[in-house]
Amino acid sequence: MRIALIHALKHSIVPIEASFARLWPEARLMNLLDDSLSADLARDGGLTDAMTERFLRLGRYAADTGSDAILFTCSAFGPCIEAVARAHAPMPVLKPNEAMIEQATGRGRKVGLLSTFPPTLVSMPPEFPPSIELVPKLAEGAMAALDRGDRATHDRLVVEASRSLRDCDLIALAQYSMAPAADEVAEATGRPVLTTPDSAVLKLKKMLGGAPG
């Protein structure tokens, strides 16, 4: 199976490739990166028709290469990704967090949503069912540290922020780039931790007929 991975941040590439290598190594991956998407979203202050059209063009390119599915790894662009999914149905087109949200909904009622990108805490909560009590938390400064190439500081700030979520049933890490810190967050909080890349790979594998992960 050929899976197109579409990224708005270069930091997402290594975590999702690591999840595929561990959970579904047989899949063939193609990476598309437009690292101006997140900067333009922050500049515009919200999603625009022009942004949706950019996503549609990315989706068309991925589909034209013969991809069997498309996985977006950028968590703040839900409506744009939904437009791509409508355009390419019935081919699987996954938002980065939908698989993790499904897992979280089945495992707890009070979910700590930990993010390093402020727009995610606006776009992602409405994707959870109303039965879930969400506790959003921003790891301030973590994304800037990662942009500087300082993974250690990023992970430290993520772990520090997670400590305020210890009364939740579980913790969901909103960005793909946060996945390498999952074990440290689990140790610091004593809570189960879900990551977007692992959940997405397992969902795609099941949808496309792979053996259970």
Side-chain angles (χ1 to χ4, degrees), residues 62-136:
D64 287 347
T65 67
S67 297
D68 297 291
I70 300 173
L71 172 61
F72 287 88
T73 67
C74 32
S75 61
F77 300 89
C80 299
I81 298 167
E82 290 167 5
V84 177
R86 289 192 296 270
H88 295 282
M91 182 174 72
V93 176
L94 264 63
K95 289 186 285 188
N97 36 47
E98 65 180 85
M100 184 183 71
I101 290 171
E102 290 171 6
Q103 279 196 312
T105 301
R107 294 179 57 177
R109 191 190 67 82
K110 186 176 183 179
V111 176
L113 182 63
L114 185 57
S115 174
T116 58
F117 187 51
T120 297
L121 294 179
V122 176
S123 65
M124 194 169 168
E127 298 177 24
F128 282 83
S131 59
I132 296 296
E133 179 186 353
L134 271 187
V135 184

Side-chain angles (χ1 to χ4, degrees), residues 8-58:
L9 294 170
K10 61 181 180 294
H11 311 306
S12 303
I13 298 175
V14 170
I16 186 59
E17 288 189 334
S19 291
F20 269 103
R22 190 174 68 256
L23 300 171
W24 194 13
E26 299 83 9
R28 292 184 297 127
L29 307 180
M30 179 187 73
N31 289 290
L32 293 176
L33 169 65
D34 180 351
D35 60 5
S36 70
L37 290 169
S38 293
D40 291 347
L41 173 61
R43 178 200 65 203
D44 295 340
L47 298 174
T48 63
D49 291 343
M51 182 67 77
T52 299
E53 180 55 37
R54 289 170 69 179
F55 272 74
L56 288 168
R57 287 198 296 270
L58 288 166

Side-chain angles (χ1 to χ4, degrees), residues 15-16 18-20 22-23 96 99-100 103 176 179 182 193-204:
I16 186 59
S19 291
F20 269 103
R22 190 174 68 256
L23 300 171
M100 184 183 71
Q103 279 196 312
Y176 277 60
V193 176
L194 296 179
T195 71
T196 38
D198 278 6
S199 298
V201 171
L202 291 173
K203 181 178 175 71
L204 276 174

Side-chain angles (χ1 to χ4, degrees), residues 54 63 79 83 95 132 140 155 169 208 213:
R54 289 170 69 179
K95 289 186 285 188
I132 296 296
E140 294 190 31
D155 290 0
D169 297 325
L208 294 171

